[in-house]
Amino acid sequence: MTKIIKISKRGELAPDSPIRKLTRFAEEAKKEGIKIYHLNIGQPDLKVPSRIRTEIRKVSNIDYLPYTNSQGTKETLLSYSKYFHDIKVNYSPKEILITFGASEALIFAIAAICDPEDEIIAFEPFYANYLGFANLVSAKIIPVQLDAQENFHLPSQNKIVGKITDRTKAILFTNPNNPTGTVFRKYELQTILDIAKKYRLFIISDETYHGVSFKTKAISFMHLAKDLEQQQIIIIDSLSKRYNVCGARIGAIASKNLEIMSAVNRFAQERLSVGFIDQKIVTLELQNSLGDVKKITKIYQARRDAFLKTLEGELNIKTLYPEGAFYAMIKLPIKDSDEFAKWLLTNFRYKNETVMVAPGSGFYASPGKGKDEIRIAYVLGEEELKKAAKLLAIAVKQYNNSQHLRESK
Ligand SMILES: Cc1ncc(COP(=O)(O)O)c(C=O)c1O
């Protein structure tokens, strides 16, 4: 009998990223000479901070490029510890591991606490790649729905507790949030902490956008947790967005729990080391960066207003104003945002331009959700964003007209 060669279930089930899955249509449109306003991906257009630029110039003289310690270089670990100290979170270098962005930190955290089929509660809409990270270790994301009417703040405690089973290992929490931009309040973090304490769960706290909040300051679980509770907390951090260095691939995982740190350090030994140059160029900035983060936060707030006000005016709709990060989940008068997002790239052109957005459905685990939503990242200049909002409004009207025509045929 011939054996069938087959890939793993994990390989079959790995989801497409809603943020990147339409890239090939964008490439084709660009080949036609179409200008695309990229609102689909959270990649800041801002310059890297001057201290990092200076360091980049210095490393151009390097003629020896070694692996580093798997945990990270001594200097980067010390600097990360200093950053945490600046935001009033107490982590010594031995409680930190430097990772390839928050992405690797999340994969390590999930792998350290979950066996196959174990469950992690996450609030949807959530950062789409959480599904893929859990799938990598055959764990499951169990969604708790957030309501747009409540500006995507937490539902009642019962709704969260109702999702806990014998297999639940952790609650995954993102603050400030991507894709909604929600900044959760202190009482909401306390609710999560109380649940985690009562039901013996870990909290994986994704603080990738810490510092980027407009009116209400986002706090960390480490600001609230008492000594023993701190053992249940795993902080995920990233420099990608705060310092506009997505391409440097530097993030961190931090925890007071020595068993977790021992596990993730062994995972890290298996992948040997994070980039030597990447760590070198961010180390100085990490020691004193709060001022730079404040500056970019002001820029994002103005961009948010520029984009949403224009879109509201053009479409005569009301949108939610995100409280932090640089994303918005927007409800549009359309039936199928997956089809709409593709149509924008393949059919819609206005004066040789179009926009790229991420369809809402990819940010949900519940089937059928997000069909009338798109997620946008306001990572372009204000004038560009206003143009993109106008273009999006024209597209919505044209799309609905063409759909109406198709349906009446
Ligand atoms: C909430 C959240 N977590 C994690 C990541 C991963 O970022 P990186 O791996 O670049 O640090 C992102 C990226 O957009 C994100 O939005």
Side-chain angles (χ1 to χ4, degrees):
M1 211 175 68
T2 354
K3 190 176 150 205
I4 299 168
I5 304 178
K6 214 168 170 296
I7 66 163
S8 68
K9 265 241 149 50
R10 223 175 276 128
E12 277 174 13
L13 292 176
D16 266 326
S17 158
I19 301 153
R20 291 174 181 253
K21 71 178 179 187
L22 298 172
T23 302
R24 74 189 160 98
F25 300 111
E27 302 288 322
E28 276 161 29
K30 278 181 196 161
K31 270 193 221 148
E32 282 172 43
I34 305 297
K35 171 173 172 160
I36 299 180
Y37 292 88
H38 280 277
L39 305 177
N40 59 307
I41 188 163
Q43 172 152 275
D45 61 327
L46 302 171
K47 270 195 182 165
V48 293
S50 64
R51 260 185 303 243
I52 298 185
R53 266 181 283 152
T54 309
E55 293 305 300
I56 292 173
R57 281 185 208 108
K58 279 195 204 153
V59 293
S60 66
N61 291 325
I62 281 177
D63 54 12
Y64 177 60
L65 202 48
Y67 289 127
T68 75
N69 189 315
S70 300
Q71 192 194 350
T73 66
K74 200 168 140 208
E75 294 76 19
T76 313
L77 287 163
L78 276 168
S79 297
Y80 234 118
S81 176
K82 164 80 167 64
Y83 161 74
F84 280 125
H85 177 266
D86 287 348
I87 61 160
K88 304 195 168 41
V89 167
N90 167 25
Y91 280 125
S92 67
K94 72 172 191 316
E95 295 161 334
I96 302 169
L97 167 81
I98 309 298
T99 54
F100 284 98
S103 304
E104 190 187 53
L106 283 156
I107 295 166
F108 281 2
I110 297 171
I113 61 179
C114 286
D115 287 314
E117 302 303 316
D118 278 347
E119 297 173 359
I120 293 177
I121 289 176
F123 297 92
E124 73 175 2
F126 48 68
Y127 174 54
N129 286 335
Y130 290 163
L131 288 173
F133 298 153
N135 177 64
L136 270 179
V137 295
S138 302
K140 285 189 192 151
I141 296 286
I142 304 296
V144 172
Q145 278 169 26
L146 300 178
D147 189 350
Q149 307 277 354
E150 305 294 332
N151 214 347
F152 299 108
H153 280 275
L154 284 193
S156 71
Q157 190 158 337
N158 288 347
K159 282 216 171 113
I160 306 168
V161 170
K163 298 282 182 165
I164 297 174
T165 70
D166 290 347
R167 302 231 61 149
T168 311
K169 281 297 190 62
I171 299 177
L172 173 50
F173 198 77
T174 320
N175 190 32
N177 191 271
N178 172 13
T180 62
T182 307
V183 172
F184 293 95
R185 306 294 192 266
K186 189 174 166 185
Y187 77 89
E188 294 175 288
L189 271 71
Q190 191 60 56
T191 301
I192 298 294
L193 207 51
D194 292 343
I195 296 173
K197 206 167 137 191
K198 182 161 174 197
Y199 295 91
R200 310 297 305 145
L201 305 175
F202 288 106
I203 295 172
I204 303 175
S205 181
D206 185 343
E207 301 184 6
T208 290
Y209 298 92
H210 190 90
V212 187
S213 51
F214 308 134
K215 218 164 145 194
T216 312
K217 210 167 156 200
I219 56 169
S220 168
F221 276 105
M222 289 302 285
H223 295 141
L224 284 185
K226 312 226 166 56
D227 280 357
L228 267 179
E229 295 162 2
Q230 293 188 354
Q231 295 287 323
Q232 286 167 252
I233 295 171
I234 305 165
I235 301 286
I236 305 295
D237 195 66
S238 169
L239 305 188
S240 295
K241 321 288 175 160
R242 276 204 305 273
Y243 305 167
N244 320 314
V245 288
C246 294
R249 310 306 302 132
I250 297 287
I253 183 165
S255 181
K256 295 272 173 204
N257 187 312
L258 293 183
E259 253 185 307
I260 299 264
M261 288 317 290
S262 162
V264 296
N265 269 289
R266 280 173 282 138
F267 296 156
Q269 284 170 15
E270 287 145 19
R271 60 85 165 110
L272 305 181
S273 138
V274 169
F276 172 85
I277 290 180
D278 294 359
Q279 292 180 76
K280 221 172 176 48
I281 61 173
V282 298
T283 292
L284 261 187
E285 177 71 12
L286 259 169
Q287 290 168 17
N288 185 10
S289 61
L290 300 195
D292 284 339
V293 178
K294 235 186 196 151
K295 273 188 219 151
I296 65 162
T297 302
K298 278 215 172 88
I299 294 175
Y300 287 127
Q301 186 167 5
R303 288 174 167 195
R304 173 197 71 175
D305 295 345
F307 183 82
L308 291 179
K309 271 189 193 139
T310 311
L311 189 69
E312 286 184 331
E314 295 289 327
L315 281 178
N316 200 16
I317 55 169
K318 277 260 157 271
T319 62
L320 295 171
Y321 276 61
E323 303 162 311
F326 40 68
Y327 303 98
M329 200 70 178
I330 302 175
K331 217 180 190 38
L332 288 177
I334 50 169
K335 277 196 194 137
D336 183 345
S337 56
D338 277 284
E339 193 197 80
F340 174 68
K342 188 175 163 202
W343 175 88
L344 282 173
L345 298 171
T346 54
N347 291 57
F348 174 72
R349 271 94 181 101
Y350 184 79
K351 295 187 181 163
N352 247 11
E353 295 182 339
T354 190
V355 264
M356 186 167 179
V357 300
S361 58
F363 298 87
Y364 289 86
S366 307
K369 298 281 290 176
K371 281 281 180 200
D372 59 353
E373 287 172 295
I374 56 165
R375 197 229 35 194
I376 63 107
Y378 36 99
V379 288
L380 304 173
E382 279 178 57
E383 289 313 309
E384 292 266 289
L385 282 170
K386 283 185 198 163
K387 278 191 212 157
K390 281 187 185 156
L391 214 52
L392 186 59
I394 295 169
V396 168
K397 289 174 198 162
Q398 227 182 73
Y399 176 74
N400 282 337
N401 279 340
S402 63
Q403 198 181 38
H404 181 69
L405 284 177
R406 281 202 306 278
E407 279 171 3
S408 61
K409 262 186 196 164

